[in-house]
Amino acid sequence: MDAIDRRILRELQADGRLTNQELAQRVGLTPSPCLRRVRQLEDDGVIRGYRAVVEPSAVGRGFEVFASVEVRRDRDSVAAFEAQLQSTPDVVEAYRLYGAPGCLLRIAVADSEAYERFWTEKLISLPGVSDVNSQMIMKRIKAPQGVPVD
């Protein structure tokens, strides 16, 4: 990956809706080689996809929570827990961590009452869950911007 590829990545992370012509102009290429490079970055798995960034409150999910979750530390429990998370739409991000807690989840629901229902009816009944510690998000200080591609 060279400096032009990195410029392409920076531009697309800032605005994934750029046309190929706009992108080529911003990175100093003509459209044809620019498109080839973008396709190669996609084929190589460097660019994994494109998506819209949605305002959570606009779709009734303005109450966000980080939940630290302890899962029994055996292969079957971890696998069952992770598989169940894939079909749990309220969990918008999930990470397995080294050490304690075992997992960190970002959950987006309508309000505190909706989170309480989710916690009671779904979260604590996920396979292998032994403990949950919730932290409500007061204010988003910095939103995801993509990864640095220096």
Side-chain angles (χ1 to χ4, degrees):
M1 185 177 317
D2 64 13
I4 293 174
D5 289 335
R6 291 178 188 282
R7 284 200 307 261
I8 288 170
L9 294 174
R10 274 193 293 280
E11 292 295 336
L12 287 176
Q13 283 189 114
D15 184 356
R17 295 189 65 170
L18 288 173
T19 67
N20 182 58
Q21 188 161 353
E22 291 169 324
L23 179 61
Q25 189 172 29
R26 289 185 185 191
V27 302
L29 293 174
T30 58
S32 184
C34 183
L35 184 58
R36 276 196 302 276
R37 283 177 178 261
V38 170
R39 294 255 165 84
Q40 189 64 54
L41 290 166
E42 292 169 347
D43 292 345
D44 291 346
V46 176
I47 296 174
R48 298 188 323 203
Y50 303 88
R51 61 179 55 107
V53 178
V54 176
E55 170 57 43
S57 61
V59 293
R61 292 187 176 267
F63 190 80
E64 293 183 288
V65 176
F66 285 117
S68 303
V69 180
E70 278 298 339
V71 178
R72 283 193 307 276
R73 298 198 182 229
D74 65 81
R75 189 179 315 208
D76 292 339
S77 294
V78 170
F81 172 79
E82 291 179 1
Q84 188 69 41
L85 284 182
Q86 298 303 318
S87 61
T88 306
D90 296 322
V91 177
V92 295
E93 289 182 81
Y95 302 92
R96 187 188 317 162
L97 307 174
Y98 290 105
C103 292
L104 180 64
L105 311 179
R106 185 168 67 96
I107 299 161
V109 292
D111 52 30
S112 179
E113 291 79 19
Y115 181 66
E116 181 180 3
R117 278 190 309 279
F118 174 76
W119 188 93
T120 304
E121 297 170 9
K122 295 181 183 172
L123 187 56
I124 61 173
S125 65
L126 287 170
V129 170
S130 61
D131 189 36
V132 175
N133 185 354
S134 305
Q135 297 88 35
M136 285 61 170
I137 297 174
M138 178 187 303
K139 175 184 174 183
R140 184 181 310 267
I141 297 169
K142 182 178 181 181
Q145 305 280 319
V147 296
V149 290
D150 308 332

